[in-house]
Amino acid sequence: MNSSMEQVFNFIDQHATAYQKEKDLPYLESLLETTESWLDGHIQPAAEVGKEDIRKAIQLAVLKGMKEHVQPHHQMTPDALGLLVGYLVELFVKQEKFTLMDPALGTGNLMLTIMNYLDGRITGTGVEIDDLLIRLAASAADLVEQPVTFYRQDALQPLLIDPVDAVVSDLPVGYYPDEEIAATFELKAEEGMSYAHHLFIEQAMKHTVDGGYLFFVVPKALFESPQAGELHAFLKKTAYIQSVMELPDTLFKNSAHAKGILVLQKKKEGVKAPKEVLLARVPNMSNPTTMSKFFSQVSTWFKENKQ
Ligand code: SAM
């Protein structure tokens, strides 16, 4: 742990624990009280702190709260993965300033990791159905001074959001319960319930500008499910697949929840498909030698296919 981040975490944790005892609240709610009182100027850390120290300290506190109150559907996106997606966003999105949406924002950790990494370049939009998580994300965004507009709603219902230049999202995986809404999507299941992650891909595509990029964290078996054929046909019609990456199992506690990254470009007149799709296996992220080989594989592919 770096010491400045440790100090911010201790500051947050002490206040959150005190609120928790005083008001008999779950830790995540007392964490929200803490970040909000910090924003209101009622409490302050002892010294000036940087954006990344604040983001990481809040992330640690959220992880602590999630351990107490297991929320299997709200798994926060791990840092290493956020940084990898940030690297891909930086590589593909060439505008100096651009808009970025995460339709499954959660605690905002993925979005804010990327916004801090490309500091000053991104205006964000986040959609999240869970009230507590979106409020935590909102206070974290204010504390790290990143411009994000928040929508607390079901992201699969109509969104009053202008098309964005890029989308990032660690998609919620599983069945989507609202069959009436699902029926409005091309990727609805022919029979039975539809996959939320497929509907999210369609919704995100609809809200991206032509030629814009989409970066999804997806289940590893995305293209092996019984509804994979329909997803393939939809992607072929609307986008160019840029890359499919397999993430190392070590990133996930349970290998049944293993994931990958899917990078798409929405079709646009004059934009061509890459000569070949970048199929890559991301190595163990804590090994600098294999990671450096991986980055050079990606950058060679980019030069040969995108420039
Ligand atoms: N990237 C996030 C982070 O760093 O905290 C984690 C995203 S988590 C894997 C998926 C999120 O999707 C959860 O927070 C869940 O509440 C949200 N979600 C699930 N279904 C949703 C829906 N229909 N509309 C909006 N958000 C939804």
Side-chain angles (χ1 to χ4, degrees):
M1 235 194 245
N2 96 37
S3 69
S4 163
M5 194 276 275
E6 203 172 334
Q7 279 167 19
V8 192
F9 171 73
N10 288 338
F11 158 74
I12 294 175
D13 184 51
Q14 275 160 16
H15 283 280
T17 310
Y19 286 137
Q20 185 177 28
K21 283 204 184 113
E22 190 184 308
K23 303 187 179 170
D24 195 21
L25 289 173
Y27 186 85
L28 279 182
E29 283 181 35
S30 54
L31 173 61
L32 179 62
E33 290 236 359
T34 307
T35 50
E36 288 179 345
S37 358
W38 182 1
L39 276 170
D40 291 341
H42 300 313
I43 56 171
Q44 287 292 329
E48 281 248 327
V49 276
K51 293 180 178 195
E52 270 299 89
D53 289 331
I54 298 176
R55 183 190 63 76
K56 287 183 185 163
I58 295 176
Q59 178 199 22
L60 265 191
V62 168
L63 283 174
K64 179 175 168 181
M66 285 186 168
K67 265 193 203 142
E68 173 194 277
H69 204 83
V70 180
Q71 294 181 301
H73 300 301
H74 300 159
Q75 296 273 338
M76 187 163 50
T77 309
D79 251 19
L81 186 47
L83 286 167
L84 178 59
V85 178
Y87 159 79
L88 294 172
V89 172
E90 183 181 33
L91 188 69
F92 281 88
V93 182
K94 289 302 173 204
Q95 296 102 302
E96 176 50 30
K97 303 253 180 202
F98 59 97
T99 50
L100 182 70
M101 172 173 77
D102 185 343
L105 186 72
T107 59
N109 194 47
L110 173 63
M111 178 88 147
L112 294 176
T113 304
I114 298 168
M115 291 182 84
N116 275 358
Y117 177 61
L118 299 177
D119 200 13
R121 292 182 54 192
I122 300 177
T123 306
T125 298
V127 188
E128 168 59 50
I129 201 162
D130 185 284
D131 187 51
L132 177 60
L133 294 184
I134 200 166
R135 288 176 65 200
L136 276 168
S139 62
D142 279 348
L143 285 169
V144 299
E145 297 173 355
Q146 293 295 356
V148 183
T149 307
F150 297 90
Y151 295 83
R152 198 206 70 77
Q153 68 161 91
D154 177 348
L156 298 177
Q157 302 229 2
L159 295 174
L160 286 172
I161 296 173
D162 287 336
V164 289
D165 299 313
V167 167
V168 287
S169 201
D170 182 352
L171 297 177
V173 176
Y175 290 113
Y176 178 58
D178 190 332
E179 294 194 25
E180 228 172 87
I181 293 288
T184 63
F185 284 79
E186 268 183 69
L187 287 175
K188 64 178 181 292
E190 284 311 318
E191 266 175 40
M193 286 173 93
S194 307
Y195 284 136
H197 43 294
H198 288 196
L199 306 185
F200 263 83
I201 291 174
E202 181 176 335
Q203 180 76 321
M205 193 75 78
K206 185 171 161 195
H207 287 274
T208 304
V209 297
D210 290 348
Y213 287 97
L214 303 95
F215 306 83
F216 294 114
V217 178
V218 293
K220 213 174 195 170
L222 183 74
F223 291 117
E224 285 153 29
S225 83
Q227 294 173 32
E230 289 82 353
L231 177 64
H232 244 303
F234 174 81
L235 292 180
K236 209 168 164 198
K237 189 174 75 179
T238 54
Y240 295 121
I241 299 183
Q242 310 289 307
S243 178
V244 180
M245 293 181 183
E246 206 174 293
L247 291 162
D249 287 353
T250 44
L251 262 189
F252 308 96
K253 277 198 198 118
N254 179 342
S255 65
H257 298 154
K259 293 188 179 180
I261 298 178
L262 172 67
V263 183
L264 305 170
Q265 182 174 27
K266 186 168 173 176
K267 282 193 176 172
K268 180 183 178 178
E269 237 185 272
V271 168
K272 287 198 203 116
K275 283 178 222 115
E276 59 182 61
V277 173
L278 170 63
L279 299 174
R281 183 173 293 201
V282 180
N284 180 343
M285 293 196 201
S286 51
N287 182 333
T289 316
T290 51
M291 271 318 270
S292 134
K293 268 195 198 148
F294 165 77
F295 286 132
S296 80
Q297 180 195 0
V298 176
S299 105
T300 306
W301 173 89
F302 197 87
K303 280 189 202 116
E304 289 170 359
N305 289 272
K306 299 293 291 177
Q307 283 171 349

